Amino acid sequence: MAKLDSKIPSGPLADKWRKHKTEIKLVNPANKRKYEVIVVGAGLAGSSAAATLAELGYKVKSFVFHDSPRRAHSIAAQGGINAAKNYQNDGDSVYRLFYDTIKGGDYRAREANVHRLAEVSVNIIDQCVAQGVPFAREYGGLLANRSFGGAQVSRTFYARGQTGQQLLLGAYSALSRMVGQGAVELFTNEEMTDLVVVGGQAKGIITRNLVSGELRRWAADAVILATGGYGNVFNLSTYARGSNVTAIWRAYKRGACFGNPCYTQIHPTCIPVTGDYQSKLTLMSESLRNDGRIWVPKRKEDCRKDPASIAEEDRDYYLERMYPSFGNLAPRDIASRAAKRVCDEGRGIGETGLGVYLDFADAINRLGEAAVRERYGNLFDIYHEITDENAYKTPMRIYPAVHYTMGGLWVDYNLMSNVPGLFVLGEANFSDHGANRLGASALMQGLADGYFVIPYTIGDYLAGQKPGSRPSPDAPEFKEAEANVRAMTQRLLGAKGTQPVSHFHKRLGQIMWNYCGMARTKEGLQKALQELPKLREEFWATVKVPGSADTLNQSLENAGRVADFIELGELMCLDALTREESCGGHFREEHQYPDGECKRDDEKFGHVAAWEFQGPGQAPLRNVEPLNYEFVKMSVRNYK
């Protein structure tokens, strides 16, 4: 059984991070040059971590499977980044950001981690402004803010609908500076295919060059994974198609515990599915809910009518009706389930009946079309490109879709997994969002982890490692890991089936969405756990992977990723079946209040579930880390 020591500092909540920084071990500047750190992933968390560690003097190797870090999926984040600056003087504070995040996560996150996130949020904005990130500004020149779901203050900083792109360019510029100085070696088109553990500690990785097919071994004193989320297990999602679980899944198979894998976020504001030909879904930023009003017709017979012909009194602004205190800015899990509920009642719009309206008519009447264009113009352009509809004239059509995963590898307060020397940042870890992430908090966590947490905490581990003691890439453990990758590659290429990889990914996505998606039942999860092993066996028996391993082969890339997704799907369904409660994005239909809200069981499930791999064909072991709420009382969330 894995040892889960959260390493949460003692003392008052507001003093824990400051106290911890004064007590952790340090590495002196001369010795930092003797340590090498591998960073896998170059999105916001990975680029900021690699750049900052290099600035401190460590030797850093950065690996990304894209041809440039600028293609990392962080670029797709649209709406903004939270920070407790209180520029609007509307009552915000570090504590309020902490509380909103804890509550938004339905009391399933660690208090200490979340409070630290709220603390360092204020520094992130200063860092990014110094890098030249063009945040929106008010007329007088001050940085502007807007509201996001689950909050009653305006704390979200933004750059129109391109916030992720602008923040990533800032982090990329910091990374490029260190690459230019020779402090970071950047390896593009390199995909991590295995973790190397030597003497119980993470000491390197195996990569495959996606252009040449070459497998290479890399040794280091510590390994950082910042590889994003695993939402593409559902096939259709708002993730980039290349986003995958392979890095953290291979680490899981080397002993790293997987925390809360079933916690999946469904975003309420996405363009609805239109057919089975689609490869992904498109997000419409949550920021649109600041000025857009969400509604469906009150009568089923009106659902196929032109929305302009439906009188005001015949419209159901259901979020404003159900959650008057927060209205259209209710948290994502709540807004998504409410949309599903009205569509299940037969009041959904569009050809499929799986859609609701996001209407800007009131905002345009109140502010003028020019002001709405200034705030959201590029988002309206994206919507027009995809739907050929003018959202200034007719309401947008939206429906929930998979957008983020709160689960990930288990980490302690130092962001180190239970495998010593393996650190996990950003969406790849489980630590900060509990069972539901509030909007504009993903960018906050990625940059907090990379710029302001890992530079302190990794030193606590490295100080206990003798400089120059890292193993050789020719050590037996490296050779075994490389052989493991070669064996899997040959197994994929050796399959003599007829079905393309995409065939299995689509079927996996249907199983996962139907039985482990927005709503889950015991019967459905049990059915999924019967279907997924069959799909896995069929995949290995009938998949067709053309080409060879020693060249560019995207079919081979995708085959390895889908093989991992199928195994992950089984763990997600097992986790969801075992967690006999509803909380945040994990909604078990058997556990709800009469009004349809989540019914938690704090006595039995007020903990983190950390799953430990036991070997091929063996059931994983479920470890538990209790969540001790010392400073906030667990209560039923109320956004009404």
Side-chain angles (χ1 to χ4, degrees):
M1 180 174 288
K3 181 181 179 182
L4 301 181
D5 180 3
S6 61
K7 295 186 173 67
I8 297 174
S10 60
L13 184 65
D15 294 339
K16 287 182 184 293
W17 179 230
R18 178 191 57 77
K19 179 174 181 286
H20 191 60
K21 288 190 292 184
T22 64
E23 294 177 347
I24 56 178
K25 299 173 186 176
L26 300 176
V27 179
N28 79 60
N31 278 343
K32 285 176 181 171
R33 296 190 293 271
K34 300 175 183 178
Y35 292 106
E36 291 196 6
V37 179
I38 284 173
V39 180
V40 184
L44 284 181
S47 285
S48 59
T52 308
L53 292 174
E55 289 270 11
L56 289 173
Y58 296 108
K59 294 181 179 178
V60 178
K61 287 183 171 68
S62 172
F63 295 87
V64 59
F65 67 75
H66 297 293
D67 60 355
S68 166
R70 289 175 296 174
R71 294 190 184 276
H73 188 54
S74 299
I75 202 170
Q78 297 169 340
I81 177 171
N82 287 330
K85 285 284 198 180
N86 194 30
Y87 281 175
Q88 304 302 312
N89 198 28
D90 56 1
D92 201 10
S93 65
V94 166
Y95 183 85
R96 193 174 294 275
L97 174 53
F98 155 74
Y99 179 77
D100 286 347
T101 305
I102 284 284
K103 178 183 176 183
D106 214 352
Y107 303 92
R108 288 295 179 261
R110 281 197 204 120
E111 283 185 324
N113 286 67
V114 178
H115 196 277
R116 176 176 65 188
L117 178 64
E119 287 179 64
V120 302
S121 71
V122 297
N123 300 325
I124 295 171
I125 303 305
D126 297 338
Q127 170 89 1
C128 294
V129 169
Q131 291 174 335
V133 173
F135 287 119
R137 293 180 181 269
E138 297 177 343
Y139 180 77
L142 298 177
L143 296 182
N145 293 117
R146 55 191 179 198
S147 297
F148 259 60
Q152 291 183 309
V153 297
S154 294
R155 64 163 67 101
T156 303
F157 295 77
Y158 62 97
R160 297 190 72 187
Q162 306 165 359
T163 314
Q165 179 189 46
Q166 298 301 327
L167 292 173
L168 183 61
L169 289 174
Y172 176 64
S173 68
L175 176 63
S176 297
R177 177 172 176 267
M178 290 294 98
V179 172
Q181 292 186 6
V184 174
E185 290 184 80
L186 177 62
F187 298 92
T188 58
N189 297 308
E190 292 278 347
E191 180 165 35
M192 174 182 157
T193 51
D194 210 346
L195 177 73
V196 181
V197 179
V198 180
Q201 301 184 74
K203 291 297 181 182
I205 61 173
I206 307 297
T207 65
R208 178 177 182 268
N209 185 279
L210 298 183
V211 176
S212 69
E214 179 185 4
L215 293 182
R216 293 199 277 183
R217 312 170 201 156
W218 308 91
D221 296 287
V223 176
I224 295 174
L225 302 185
T227 51
Y230 49 88
N232 274 339
V233 68
F234 292 88
N235 186 35
L236 287 181
S237 73
T238 66
Y239 286 77
R241 286 303 293 179
S243 297
N244 63 81
V245 74
T246 290
I248 62 171
W249 189 251
R250 306 288 171 88
Y252 162 72
K253 287 184 152 185
R254 291 291 181 181
C257 288
F258 208 121
N260 301 330
C262 77
Y263 285 172
T264 307
Q265 177 163 94
I266 312 294
H267 197 296
T269 319
C270 302
I271 297 178
V273 177
T274 57
D276 62 5
Y277 57 85
Q278 287 183 258
S279 63
K280 75 178 300 294
L281 299 175
T282 302
L283 171 71
M284 288 286 99
S285 170
E286 183 167 306
S287 62
L288 294 169
R289 292 199 275 151
N290 272 279
D291 291 306
R293 300 179 70 194
I294 297 172
W295 64 276
V296 292
K298 290 181 178 178
R299 298 190 299 264
K300 297 178 182 180
E301 54 267 31
D302 290 342
C303 290
R304 299 296 176 266
K305 291 182 179 179
D306 181 342
S309 70
I310 301 175
E312 188 73 14
E313 61 269 19
D314 294 327
R315 301 179 179 188
D316 180 12
Y317 294 92
Y318 58 89
L319 288 177
E320 298 173 29
R321 170 175 57 82
M322 297 165 66
Y323 305 100
S325 292
F326 284 76
N328 296 297
L329 284 172
R332 291 175 176 178
D333 62 314
I334 288 175
S336 292
R337 284 194 294 274
K340 181 179 185 297
R341 201 176 310 160
V342 296
C343 290
D344 288 347
E345 293 170 1
R347 295 191 289 135
I349 54 90
E351 293 182 5
T352 64
L354 297 176
V356 300
Y357 288 124
L358 180 60
D359 197 336
F360 287 84
D362 282 359
I364 290 173
N365 289 335
R366 184 179 75 254
L367 303 169
E369 185 174 317
V372 174
R373 284 184 182 274
E374 183 178 357
R375 291 181 183 180
Y376 311 111
N378 63 310
L379 298 173
F380 278 65
D381 293 342
I382 291 171
Y383 184 81
H384 180 265
E385 285 295 317
I386 293 172
T387 65
D388 197 29
E389 296 175 7
N390 183 349
Y392 296 106
K393 305 300 181 185
T394 189
M396 289 183 180
R397 292 175 293 110
I398 59 170
Y399 192 70
V402 173
H403 177 62
Y404 191 89
T405 49
M406 284 73 67
L409 293 188
W410 182 92
V411 292
D412 63 18
Y413 190 70
N414 288 334
L415 303 184
M416 188 167 73
S417 75
N418 59 293
V419 176
L422 178 65
F423 295 82
V424 192
L425 314 186
E427 192 179 355
N429 75 32
F430 89 101
S431 67
D432 288 6
H433 305 296
N436 174 65
R437 176 176 68 78
L438 293 183
S441 288
L443 304 183
M444 175 174 63
Q445 185 206 352
L447 292 180
D449 287 356
Y451 281 137
F452 298 108
V453 179
I454 196 64
Y456 285 98
T457 61
I458 198 171
D460 191 54
Y461 169 76
L462 291 175
Q465 304 296 303
K466 184 179 179 180
S469 65
R470 62 183 168 274
S472 164
D474 293 324
E477 293 86 351
F478 283 84
K479 293 179 180 179
E480 182 273 330
E482 182 182 341
N484 179 59
V485 175
R486 288 190 186 279
M488 182 174 182
T489 300
Q490 290 308 311
R491 187 182 178 194
L492 289 167
L493 292 170
K496 303 301 181 183
T498 59
Q499 295 292 348
V501 175
S502 59
H503 168 80
F504 296 97
H505 202 172
K506 284 183 179 180
R507 287 174 56 192
L508 171 64
Q510 290 167 354
I511 293 171
M512 294 301 295
W513 180 250
N514 290 336
Y515 302 122
C516 197
M518 208 180 331
R520 303 156 179 186
T521 65
K522 180 179 181 179
E523 292 75 19
L525 291 165
Q526 289 174 333
K527 183 173 178 59
L529 288 169
Q530 293 173 352
E531 295 295 322
L532 289 170
K534 296 177 185 176
L535 181 67
R536 173 163 42 86
E537 291 177 12
E538 187 180 341
F539 171 85
W540 286 107
T542 65
V543 71
K544 180 178 178 60
V545 183
S548 66
D550 56 0
T551 185
L552 175 67
N553 189 340
Q554 291 185 313
S555 293
L556 178 60
E557 294 171 34
N558 292 331
R561 295 168 186 173
V562 171
D564 292 336
F565 276 138
I566 294 174
E567 294 180 0
L568 167 67
E570 293 183 59
L571 184 65
M572 291 174 66
C573 291
L574 180 60
D575 186 43
L577 179 64
T578 307
R579 187 170 284 277
E580 289 275 4
E581 66 166 353
S582 290
C583 56
H586 168 62
F587 187 72
R588 286 283 298 271
E589 292 184 2
E590 306 95 330
H591 304 284
Q592 58 179 301
Y593 290 104
D595 61 358
E597 301 297 344
C598 288
K599 188 174 184 179
R600 298 195 320 267
D601 187 339
D602 295 335
E603 183 177 343
K604 294 181 180 178
F605 294 100
H607 58 244
V608 178
W611 294 87
E612 183 181 358
F613 184 66
Q614 297 294 289
Q618 304 295 312
L621 179 65
R622 188 179 190 267
N623 299 287
V624 165
E625 179 205 337
L627 290 170
N628 299 313
Y629 277 69
E630 300 178 64
F631 303 95
V632 172
K633 180 183 178 182
M634 287 186 179
S635 59
V636 177
R637 287 191 303 173
N638 184 2
Y639 290 97
K640 296 182 178 182

